[in-house]
Amino acid sequence: MLTGDQYFESLRDGRRIFVNGHSVPDVTAEPLLRGPALAAKLGYDKHYRPGEDVHGPYFFIPQSVEELREIQQQQLHWDFPTISTANGLLMVLTAASRMRAQQPQYAERALAYFEESKRRDIRIVQCITDSKGNRALPPGKQDDPDLYVRIVDRRRDGVVIRGAKLHISSAAVAHDLMVMPTKRMKPGEEDWSIAAAVPVNSPGVRVINASFAPRPDLDPDFYPYSSRHVMTEGLVVFDDVFVPNERVFLAGELEHSATFVHSLGLWERLGSVGSYVRLADTLVGLAQLISEANGLTRIGHIKDKIAEMIIYATLIRAGFEAAMTHATFTPEGWASPDELFTNAAKYHAAAQFSTMVRNLHDIAGGSILTAPSLRDLSNPETSADLRKYMRTMDGVEADYRMRLFHTIRDFTADAYGGWKHVTVIQAGGGLYAQKVVVTNHFDMDTAKALARETAGVTESGEVLSDLHRFGPHGLAS
């Protein structure tokens, strides 16, 4: 296993990283990127154990409902690159299981990659979304064929790929990029059916980052959450990057062009739902605390909004638990979350998130944007004014109430809050993606049978007689 210091050293590997208009020679020293790197470093140190045959809990294959539940609970306390690594490798294993019958060579490579990643204790992020160009056109009809990542050369020892992937969280601070097709490819699109693990420091890889990290000179009390939790998002360019065969898991086989993204969607959405349980509970807690601080706990519409938020949180938790309780198992005995409950919970969490944030903002009021800085409490010229006018009652002093306002703003209404609004919807695929999976896994036959029973008709459309329609108590039998 690597220590945090060894992880930092591993990032100084010649990778080409850019942010805010300049190149980054060392991501561990760049203020806009150091936050995600530091979070991953702390994760390494937290999990580190000496020895040759030890490895982190994120390199784990659940084989029971209990183990699936345990690993998901652990993820709530991991940094993002570690979560991405665990889910990415479970995706690789799931894809390997689904491919084994038709493409055993790829399945074996995927298993070998899992073992290699565990041995090296690396961090992996998933590269899914292509730049796509004109969304109305398929890959082969774009005016630039590179707008979807594709194979541009096939060699005996590997392939060369070109293109770009968007929205790659923590790409700058990971070791490997797990590239996969963004969708099911059709005949004629074989070159775009590529799945492979690419080191970030491979020649031809460039990562152009966006970051919402607060400027380092700003008061961390004004950003109580995002100053400690920040993400970098990378646009990853693959400029004729060579990938050796042992790291290639798909190279033109159309029948499995969607296997990887569907497998990842399953694990990424389950992990998202687990984090949304915590997120929803946090929103409820903030709403309750600020209503207490403002003396509004008995106001009817405040109680009603908090009740709505509680129901939202509870239904996410119910879907999360159901997804694990109804787990399915691969032929290898690996546990996988139920797709219906996973996607229904993810859809509910994403679709209603903005409404829950609106409730929180309505409860808290305008001071979430206008409350002065806590530094003004230390200024002799303004301290007395703020301590007089920002308190509300005994036990609710100005500094406490102002900190709540700043937390709500930072968590839901500032740069981090904007990032969260978008990622809750888009992470693991947008709302429509969950609708498709839920529809495909819903038991429509049973629903139709119940509807026919209610209507008193058979499957062929024949109307049942009263004798068959009603039982002894006048109810449908």
Side-chain angles (χ1 to χ4, degrees), residues 374 377 383 385-392 396-405:
L374 289 174
L377 282 172
S383 177
D385 292 333
L386 293 180
R387 294 189 184 281
K388 177 180 177 66
Y389 293 111
M390 291 301 294
R391 66 176 294 279
T392 57
V396 182
E397 301 304 324
D399 54 350
Y400 170 76
R401 186 162 171 258
M402 290 168 66
R403 186 173 295 275
L404 285 180
F405 286 136

Side-chain angles (χ1 to χ4, degrees), residues 128-150:
I128 307 170
T129 304
D130 296 282
S131 55
K132 297 182 179 179
N134 184 343
R135 302 299 180 94
L137 298 177
K141 294 187 177 181
Q142 298 288 332
D143 59 10
D144 185 339
D146 299 339
L147 294 176
Y148 286 75
V149 171
R150 65 187 179 112

